[in-house]
Amino acid sequence: MAYQHKLAEKLTVLCDRGRGVLVRMNHIKKTCADPKAKPSFLTDKAMEPAIKYINKKFPNIDFRGSTQQLSGVQKQKSAVLEGLSSYYESFIDVMEFRDHVYELLNTIDACQCFFNITINFDFTKNYLDLVVTYASVILMLSRIDEKKALVGMYNCAHEMSNGTSNPAYPRLGQMMADYEHPMKKLTEEFGPHTKAVTEALLSLQLVYPRRNLQAEQWRSAQLLSLLSTPATMLAPVSCDTMACEYLSLEVMERWIILGFMLCHSSLNTNQASQELWKMALRSGLYLTIIREETINIHKFSEEYFDGLKGYGKRVADIKECRENTIANCGAIHREKRLYLRNALKELCKVLEDEPRLLGPKALFVFMALSFSRDEVLWLVRHSENIPKTKTPEDYVDSQMAELLFHMERLQTLLHQHKAIIDRYHLLYLSQFDALVINDTVQSLYVCPEEESILMSSFVSDLSALNVKQLENGEEFDFRAIRLDWLRLQAYTSVAKATLSFKEYPDLAKIMNMTQFHTRVIDDMDGLLQETADLSILCFYPRVFEKMFFQGSEDVAMQRYLIAFPVLCSHFSRTAHPLCPEETEVSEKRSLKLCVTFLEEIAKQTSTVILEICAEQCNLNDQLLPKHCAETISKARNKKQKRPAPKKGEVQKEKPGTESHRKDRVIMTNMDKMHLTLSELCTTFTHYPDFTVYNHIILPTEFLFSQLEIRLTKIIVQMANYNQTTQEISRPSDLLAAVRAYTTSLQILNRYINVDVTRLIRSVLLQQTQPLDSRGGQTITTLYTNWYLESLLRQASSALILHCPTMHCFINQTTETEQSFRAEQFSDICEMRALAELLGPYGLKFLSENLMWHITSQVAELKKLVMENMDILMQMRSKFDKPEEMSALQKRLTGCENVLKRMTIIGVILSFRAMAQDSLEDVMKQHCPFLMRPIASLRDLVSPDNDIKVTLSVYELASAAGLQCSIDPTLVAAIASMRTDNSSKEEECKLASLLLIFIAVSLPILALDVNSFYSREHGGHQNNIHCLATAINHLSAAMFTTQNENIQQHLKEFLLVASSTLLQLGQNAEKVEVKNRDSIYLLLHLIVQGSPFLTQDMLESCFPYVLLRNAYREVYKTFIHTLG
């Protein structure tokens, strides 16, 4: 008969099905409790009358006679049917599951099956699992407040659509009514099954007390220690109850608590039942039903037993156990966690050193994982429901990170050394287990045919195993053997079995051990899910995050923080095929938690490393040349024997004194930061990558990202740009600070394998762009704004002078004190530092902004030319007729404006030339091998050839900082000004006349007292020497865009300018004569700076003797001034 009932198969299927139904009920409860996720019909105001009516009349609802109350359902009946069908089907699943459980439990009772966890382990475990799962499903069903509304509304819509109720509704409605008080109905149902359930539970007497020991007893027995008995280190671990050793304590407590509540009569009649029940009641305050759903053990039990006659003593027992639990349980579990932390740490170290011990000692690993998991889950269950106790700290564990890390580490070792474990256990199965099973079978007095076939197949299948299969990469699958073993347990556990399992405990022992050995080979993940699965933490995000942040505050725990994000990779185990809707929610939550943890670890690490960098930057700053004046002054005073400073004055420490140590025990702040950094970096080295729901996670990338964000902000902050006061750090100071940071960041390579060079390159490259990758301002934007708004704006007003002699800008001597010294931001060192910081990309952006200002000035110049076009045309043709030129000159308007705007353009272009020269120096220093070919290519091309090719080569050369005869950036800017309405001839005419306008306006400069040429500065006091740069560059760019001959137009300019300037020599009595010599020099500067003009061309229209005399007069004045 036992063969026909298929008890083993039904138990296996129903346990999995029951788990799925339970998950489904939990999902429905959470969905209905969430206002955003619950079905819209439950929140629709139009449906409120219908819901109230259904809840009141359920399950006997008059659908036809209550049309007024149910009008809302009538209007949306199709939508209701579609929206609530999955809920209705889920409740039908519960009803069908209940029917199958009824049938199977009755069959088991009829067969008078024997249960003993130490003998027929799988049969007993599946039976107890089924009982508890069924009870949990009913309890979860009772917690869904909207179940009546969901079922009633669906059936109402069904009847309105089809004219008849759903066939399953009468039984479903009655079931929900019956389970209004779930425990009362459940105990009635389990009355006939009390004997079987009690027998199964009492078999736990041999397992549960041994597993529920306190930490002191573990410590005295040296539990889980491989080093306590070195002589037996290589001996395989074996015992009579192999699977019971790693059976979850939480699972056993759930069996005991719920089992004895369902079959409570044995508590009054059996002393052993009472003792086992009390022991479970003293183990904790809460018990998990599913996910985060728990029951308060004592409250739940007390409320139920209060309503039963003759259970007053049990209520007293419950109260006593509750007081005992509150008083002692927290401390007991705290000590257990402390012991397990040390035990797992030792186990990890030993197995890392000798991974071959994983073969004989695999059971120890699973026991350690199971014990640790029980303690973690106990703390999780109680963390959100801490009782009123004198020691609430017992329910908080800031060192949980270490325990979680060692659990993860043991699992990793099992996977890493799977080949060793497989080889060992394969040999164990074929050369020991198979032989012992064969001997045990041979010693049986009686063996029916079916049982004989099964046991013979065990022996033959195991004996056929060999190492070559493993070496050939063959996949092993022992599920058939394990299912046959479960069948054998079912066949031999019925009352009238010919072969009774009770009489042959040795067979049970060897088969249970064999089953463990097979699972280690082909079901490692299943074993780990049973013993180490902490995926329930996905449903306790607050507790999980609290544990993480508590650990992150303890320096000793920081190296273990990676355990938290790695744990998120196991959350996919929570998924069940019967509830696919949970997968998406679980995935989002898992990824969110994982990212939160990794970002926090990365933030802490980046904070520490950047604090170290800041400290090193401060120390480096002390060594900069700008701080040497005080040291030199002290040395000089000491040499001249001047009086020492007063006692009250604080002596400044010399750089380097921070490294002098009197006592190594005293830890400096830098020592503490390096210690913290080493701990935090260690956590990144444990797991280079892991997978969370098919997303590959790289922890170091989070650190890279955080460092990139922080370093970008720090570099911008170190620029110290104040838009209000227009203050900014000197480029050389910022470059020194950046170099200090980049050098200090290299210490990361001592602790962690991260590409610091890539980080620095990424950050600094972003700083060469106008905006960084997150849209923030960069130093390129800040320095561009500052040089345009502060330095060049004042230079345009001649408050700051361009000094060719020193290749910088200097402040003009004025009565008002200026906010900064121009030479401190524009000398060769500063410009090279600027080029180093901004690079070719940044200077290109700076140039583009400079060109925008130039084009705005050119636009105004064109307007002035157009206003005076007729006069300029006449002056162009009559420049050699002084009298007529003089008359036309008086009619000309805007001469000073033209010169001022050209001077502004010249100042801007002079600054750009300085920046280009600095970039060239930097580029030659960094990549000379690249600069030489570019320079050769530039020298090969000529404007006389294809202008497009020439400009493209010049653009390359200009980007590298090389000076070109034609500025490609300026050409592009001028070309962009051209409109569709303007013709080439008009543009060419405007450009030519602009040069004429400038040439005829030059004599006006002699009237300005500041037009004096300074030999010291190599330029004029009002920056008019920059006119030479402006004329040369602007004319080359303008005529290049029009494909005109640049040299021809510049010759014309020289003729007109020479003619007008020579007129100054004839006005001996006028004021213009005062700075005439300084103005003459402009012609020489123009020719000197132009690649298109020569001295011969100048001498043909302007006598060289005048230039020589002009230089002599200017230099005489300079000497006289010095005198």
Side-chain angles (χ1 to χ4, degrees), residues 927-983:
C927 45
F929 53 85
L930 185 63
M931 291 296 289
R932 292 191 188 100
I934 294 175
S936 299
L937 192 61
R938 176 201 62 179
D939 296 339
L940 281 173
V941 299
S942 168
D944 299 332
N945 302 330
D946 186 352
I947 193 62
K948 290 184 179 179
V949 175
T950 302
L951 286 176
S952 62
V953 173
Y954 281 175
E955 188 175 359
L956 170 64
S958 180
L962 298 174
Q963 296 287 355
C964 303
S965 57
I966 300 173
D967 189 339
T969 309
L970 186 56
V971 170
I974 295 295
S976 66
M977 294 177 63
R978 187 171 177 179
T979 61
D980 297 334
N981 298 327
S982 60
S983 63

Coordinates of all heavy atoms in Angstrom, one line a residue, residues 927-983:
C927 N 56.0 66.4 -24.4 CA 56.0 65.5 -25.6 C 56.9 66.1 -26.7 O 56.3 66.6 -27.7 CB 54.6 65.1 -26.1 SG 53.5 66.5 -26.2
P928 N 58.2 66.2 -26.5 CA 59.0 66.8 -27.6 C 59.0 66.0 -28.9 O 59.1 66.6 -29.9 CB 60.4 66.8 -26.9 CG 60.3 65.8 -25.9 CD 58.9 65.8 -25.4
F929 N 58.8 64.7 -28.8 CA 58.8 63.9 -30.0 C 57.6 64.2 -30.8 O 57.6 63.9 -32.0 CB 58.7 62.4 -29.5 CG 57.6 62.1 -28.6 CD1 56.3 61.9 -29.0 CD2 57.8 62.1 -27.2 CE1 55.3 61.6 -28.1 CE2 56.8 61.9 -26.3 CZ 55.5 61.6 -26.8
L930 N 56.5 64.8 -30.2 CA 55.3 65.2 -31.0 C 55.5 66.6 -31.6 O 55.0 66.9 -32.7 CB 54.1 65.1 -30.1 CG 52.7 65.3 -30.8 CD1 52.5 64.3 -31.8 CD2 51.6 65.3 -29.7
M931 N 56.2 67.5 -30.8 CA 56.2 68.9 -31.2 C 57.1 69.1 -32.5 O 56.8 69.9 -33.3 CB 56.8 69.7 -30.1 CG 55.8 69.8 -28.9 SD 54.3 70.7 -29.3 CE 54.9 72.3 -29.5
R932 N 58.2 68.3 -32.6 CA 59.1 68.5 -33.7 C 58.4 68.2 -35.0 O 58.5 69.0 -36.0 CB 60.3 67.6 -33.5 CG 61.2 68.1 -32.3 CD 62.6 67.4 -32.3 NE 63.3 67.7 -31.1 CZ 63.4 66.9 -30.1 NH1 62.8 65.7 -30.1 NH2 64.1 67.2 -29.0
P933 N 57.7 67.1 -35.2 CA 57.0 66.9 -36.5 C 55.9 68.0 -36.8 O 55.8 68.4 -37.9 CB 56.3 65.5 -36.3 CG 57.1 64.9 -35.2 CD 57.6 65.9 -34.3
I934 N 55.2 68.4 -35.7 CA 54.2 69.5 -35.9 C 54.9 70.8 -36.4 O 54.4 71.4 -37.4 CB 53.4 69.7 -34.6 CG1 52.6 68.5 -34.3 CG2 52.5 70.9 -34.8 CD1 51.9 68.6 -33.0
A935 N 56.0 71.1 -35.8 CA 56.8 72.3 -36.2 C 57.3 72.2 -37.6 O 57.2 73.1 -38.4 CB 57.9 72.6 -35.2
S936 N 57.8 71.0 -38.0 CA 58.2 70.8 -39.3 C 57.1 70.9 -40.3 O 57.3 71.5 -41.4 CB 58.9 69.4 -39.4 OG 60.0 69.3 -38.6
L937 N 56.0 70.4 -40.0 CA 54.8 70.4 -40.9 C 54.3 71.9 -41.1 O 54.0 72.3 -42.2 CB 53.7 69.6 -40.3 CG 52.5 69.3 -41.2 CD1 52.9 68.5 -42.4 CD2 51.4 68.5 -40.4
R938 N 54.4 72.6 -40.0 CA 54.0 74.1 -40.1 C 54.9 74.8 -41.0 O 54.5 75.7 -41.8 CB 54.0 74.7 -38.7 CG 53.7 76.2 -38.6 CD 54.2 76.8 -37.4 NE 55.7 76.7 -37.3 CZ 56.4 77.2 -36.3 NH1 55.8 77.9 -35.3 NH2 57.7 77.1 -36.2
D939 N 56.2 74.5 -40.9 CA 57.2 75.2 -41.7 C 57.1 74.9 -43.2 O 57.5 75.6 -44.0 CB 58.6 74.9 -41.2 CG 58.8 75.5 -39.8 OD1 58.0 76.4 -39.4 OD2 59.7 75.0 -39.0
L940 N 56.6 73.7 -43.4 CA 56.5 73.2 -44.8 C 55.4 73.9 -45.6 O 55.5 74.1 -46.8 CB 56.3 71.7 -44.9 CG 57.5 70.8 -44.7 CD1 57.1 69.4 -44.5 CD2 58.5 71.0 -45.8
V941 N 54.3 74.3 -44.9 CA 53.2 74.9 -45.7 C 53.3 76.4 -45.8 O 54.1 77.0 -45.0 CB 51.8 74.5 -45.0 CG1 51.6 73.0 -44.9 CG2 51.8 75.1 -43.6
S942 N 52.6 76.9 -46.7 CA 52.6 78.4 -46.9 C 51.3 78.9 -47.3 O 50.5 78.2 -47.9 CB 53.7 78.7 -48.0 OG 53.6 80.0 -48.4
P943 N 50.9 80.1 -46.9 CA 49.6 80.7 -47.3 C 49.5 80.8 -48.8 O 48.3 80.9 -49.3 CB 49.7 82.1 -46.7 CG 50.6 82.0 -45.5 CD 51.7 81.0 -46.0
D944 N 50.6 80.8 -49.5 CA 50.5 80.8 -51.0 C 50.0 79.6 -51.6 O 49.5 79.6 -52.7 CB 51.9 81.1 -51.6 CG 52.4 82.5 -51.1 OD1 51.6 83.3 -50.8 OD2 53.7 82.6 -51.0
N945 N 50.0 78.5 -50.9 CA 49.5 77.2 -51.3 C 48.0 77.1 -51.1 O 47.4 78.1 -50.8 CB 50.2 76.0 -50.7 CG 51.7 76.1 -51.0 OD1 52.2 76.6 -52.0 ND2 52.5 75.6 -50.0
D946 N 47.5 75.9 -51.1 CA 46.0 75.7 -50.8 C 45.7 76.2 -49.4 O 46.2 75.7 -48.4 CB 45.7 74.2 -50.9 CG 44.2 74.0 -50.8 OD1 43.5 74.9 -50.5 OD2 43.8 72.8 -51.0
I947 N 44.9 77.2 -49.3 CA 44.7 77.9 -48.0 C 44.0 77.0 -47.0 O 44.2 77.1 -45.8 CB 43.9 79.2 -48.2 CG1 44.0 80.1 -46.9 CG2 42.5 78.9 -48.7 CD1 45.3 80.5 -46.5
K948 N 43.1 76.1 -47.5 CA 42.4 75.1 -46.6 C 43.4 74.2 -45.9 O 43.3 74.0 -44.7 CB 41.4 74.4 -47.4 CG 40.2 75.2 -47.8 CD 39.1 74.4 -48.4 CE 37.9 75.2 -48.9 NZ 36.9 74.4 -49.5
V949 N 44.3 73.7 -46.7 CA 45.4 72.8 -46.1 C 46.2 73.5 -45.2 O 46.5 73.1 -44.1 CB 46.2 72.2 -47.3 CG1 47.3 71.3 -46.7 CG2 45.3 71.3 -48.2
T950 N 46.6 74.7 -45.6 CA 47.4 75.6 -44.7 C 46.8 75.8 -43.4 O 47.4 75.7 -42.3 CB 47.8 76.9 -45.4 OG1 48.4 76.6 -46.6 CG2 48.7 77.7 -44.5
L951 N 45.5 76.2 -43.4 CA 44.8 76.5 -42.2 C 44.6 75.3 -41.3 O 44.7 75.4 -40.1 CB 43.4 77.1 -42.5 CG 43.4 78.6 -43.0 CD1 42.0 79.0 -43.4 CD2 44.0 79.5 -41.9
S952 N 44.4 74.1 -41.9 CA 44.2 72.9 -41.1 C 45.5 72.6 -40.4 O 45.5 72.2 -39.2 CB 43.8 71.8 -42.0 OG 44.7 71.5 -43.0
V953 N 46.7 72.8 -41.1 CA 48.0 72.6 -40.5 C 48.2 73.6 -39.4 O 48.7 73.3 -38.3 CB 49.1 72.6 -41.5 CG1 50.5 72.5 -40.8 CG2 48.9 71.4 -42.5
Y954 N 47.9 74.9 -39.7 CA 48.1 75.9 -38.7 C 47.2 75.7 -37.4 O 47.6 76.0 -36.3 CB 47.7 77.3 -39.3 CG 48.8 77.9 -40.1 CD1 48.6 79.0 -40.9 CD2 50.0 77.2 -40.3 CE1 49.6 79.6 -41.7 CE2 51.0 77.8 -41.1 CZ 50.8 78.9 -41.8 OH 51.8 79.4 -42.6
E955 N 46.0 75.1 -37.7 CA 45.1 74.8 -36.5 C 45.8 73.8 -35.6 O 45.7 73.9 -34.4 CB 43.8 74.3 -37.0 CG 42.7 74.1 -35.9 CD 41.4 73.8 -36.5 OE1 41.2 73.7 -37.7 OE2 40.5 73.6 -35.6
L956 N 46.4 72.7 -36.2 CA 47.1 71.7 -35.4 C 48.3 72.4 -34.7 O 48.4 72.1 -33.5 CB 47.6 70.6 -36.4 CG 48.6 69.6 -35.8 CD1 47.9 68.8 -34.7 CD2 49.2 68.7 -36.9
A957 N 49.0 73.2 -35.4 CA 50.2 73.8 -34.8 C 49.7 74.8 -33.6 O 50.3 74.8 -32.6 CB 51.0 74.6 -35.8
S958 N 48.7 75.5 -33.9 CA 48.2 76.5 -32.9 C 47.7 75.7 -31.6 O 47.9 76.2 -30.5 CB 47.1 77.3 -33.5 OG 46.6 78.2 -32.5
A959 N 47.0 74.6 -31.8 CA 46.6 73.8 -30.7 C 47.7 73.3 -29.8 O 47.6 73.1 -28.6 CB 45.7 72.6 -31.2
A960 N 48.9 73.1 -30.5 CA 50.1 72.7 -29.7 C 50.9 73.9 -29.2 O 52.0 73.7 -28.6 CB 51.0 71.9 -30.7
G961 N 50.4 75.1 -29.4 CA 51.1 76.3 -28.9 C 52.1 77.0 -29.8 O 52.7 77.9 -29.4
L962 N 52.2 76.5 -31.0 CA 53.1 77.1 -32.0 C 52.5 78.3 -32.6 O 51.3 78.4 -33.0 CB 53.5 76.1 -33.1 CG 54.2 74.8 -32.6 CD1 54.4 73.8 -33.7 CD2 55.6 75.2 -31.9
Q963 N 53.4 79.4 -32.8 CA 52.9 80.6 -33.4 C 52.9 80.4 -35.0 O 53.8 79.7 -35.5 CB 53.9 81.8 -33.1 CG 53.9 82.1 -31.6 CD 52.6 82.8 -31.2 OE1 51.8 83.1 -32.0 NE2 52.6 83.1 -29.9
C964 N 51.8 80.9 -35.6 CA 51.7 80.8 -37.0 C 51.5 82.2 -37.7 O 51.1 83.1 -37.0 CB 50.4 79.9 -37.4 SG 50.4 78.3 -36.6
S965 N 51.9 82.2 -38.9 CA 51.8 83.5 -39.6 C 50.4 84.0 -39.8 O 50.1 85.2 -39.8 CB 52.5 83.4 -41.0 OG 51.8 82.4 -41.8
I966 N 49.5 83.0 -39.8 CA 48.0 83.4 -39.8 C 47.4 82.6 -38.7 O 47.6 81.4 -38.5 CB 47.4 82.9 -41.1 CG1 48.0 83.6 -42.3 CG2 45.9 83.2 -41.1 CD1 47.6 83.1 -43.7
D967 N 46.6 83.4 -37.8 CA 46.0 82.7 -36.7 C 44.7 82.0 -37.1 O 43.7 82.7 -37.5 CB 45.7 83.8 -35.6 CG 45.2 83.2 -34.3 OD1 44.8 82.1 -34.3 OD2 45.3 83.9 -33.3
P968 N 44.7 80.7 -37.1 CA 43.5 80.0 -37.6 C 42.2 80.2 -36.7 O 41.1 80.2 -37.2 CB 43.9 78.5 -37.5 CG 45.0 78.4 -36.5 CD 45.7 79.8 -36.6
T969 N 42.5 80.4 -35.4 CA 41.3 80.7 -34.6 C 40.7 82.0 -34.9 O 39.4 82.2 -34.9 CB 41.7 80.7 -33.1 OG1 42.5 79.5 -32.8 CG2 40.5 80.7 -32.1
L970 N 41.5 83.0 -35.1 CA 41.0 84.4 -35.5 C 40.4 84.3 -36.9 O 39.3 85.0 -37.1 CB 42.2 85.4 -35.5 CG 41.8 86.8 -35.7 CD1 40.8 87.3 -34.7 CD2 43.1 87.7 -35.6
V971 N 40.9 83.5 -37.8 CA 40.3 83.4 -39.1 C 38.9 82.8 -39.0 O 38.0 83.3 -39.6 CB 41.2 82.5 -40.0 CG1 40.5 82.2 -41.3 CG2 42.5 83.2 -40.3
A972 N 38.8 81.8 -38.2 CA 37.5 81.2 -38.0 C 36.5 82.1 -37.4 O 35.3 82.2 -37.7 CB 37.6 79.9 -37.1
A973 N 37.0 82.9 -36.4 CA 36.1 83.9 -35.7 C 35.6 85.0 -36.7 O 34.5 85.4 -36.7 CB 36.8 84.5 -34.5
I974 N 36.6 85.5 -37.5 CA 36.2 86.5 -38.5 C 35.3 86.0 -39.6 O 34.3 86.6 -40.0 CB 37.5 87.1 -39.2 CG1 38.4 87.8 -38.1 CG2 37.1 88.0 -40.3 CD1 37.8 89.0 -37.5
A975 N 35.5 84.7 -40.0 CA 34.7 84.1 -41.0 C 33.3 83.9 -40.5 O 32.3 84.0 -41.2 CB 35.3 82.8 -41.4
S976 N 33.1 83.6 -39.2 CA 31.8 83.4 -38.6 C 31.0 84.7 -38.6 O 29.7 84.7 -38.4 CB 31.9 82.8 -37.2 OG 32.5 83.8 -36.3
M977 N 31.6 85.9 -38.7 CA 30.9 87.1 -38.6 C 30.2 87.4 -39.9 O 29.3 88.3 -40.0 CB 31.9 88.3 -38.3 CG 32.5 88.2 -36.9 SD 33.7 89.6 -36.8 CE 32.7 91.0 -36.9
R978 N 30.7 86.8 -41.0 CA 30.1 87.1 -42.3 C 28.7 86.7 -42.4 O 28.3 85.5 -42.1 CB 31.0 86.4 -43.4 CG 30.6 86.8 -44.8 CD 31.7 86.3 -45.8 NE 31.3 86.6 -47.1 CZ 32.1 86.2 -48.2 NH1 33.2 85.6 -48.0 NH2 31.7 86.5 -49.4
T979 N 27.9 87.6 -42.9 CA 26.4 87.3 -43.1 C 26.1 86.9 -44.5 O 26.9 87.1 -45.4 CB 25.6 88.5 -42.6 OG1 25.9 89.6 -43.5 CG2 25.8 88.8 -41.2
D980 N 24.9 86.4 -44.7 CA 24.5 86.0 -46.1 C 24.4 87.2 -47.0 O 24.5 87.1 -48.2 CB 23.2 85.2 -46.0 CG 23.4 83.9 -45.3 OD1 24.6 83.4 -45.2 OD2 22.4 83.4 -44.7
N981 N 24.0 88.4 -46.4 CA 23.8 89.5 -47.2 C 25.0 90.2 -47.7 O 25.0 90.9 -48.7 CB 23.0 90.6 -46.4 CG 21.6 90.0 -45.9 OD1 21.0 89.2 -46.7 ND2 21.1 90.4 -44.8
S982 N 26.2 90.0 -47.0 CA 27.4 90.7 -47.4 C 28.1 89.9 -48.5 O 28.2 88.7 -48.4 CB 28.3 90.9 -46.2 OG 28.6 89.6 -45.6
S983 N 28.7 90.7 -49.4 CA 29.4 90.1 -50.5 C 30.9 90.1 -50.2 O 31.4 90.8 -49.3 CB 29.2 90.8 -51.8 OG 29.6 92.1 -51.7

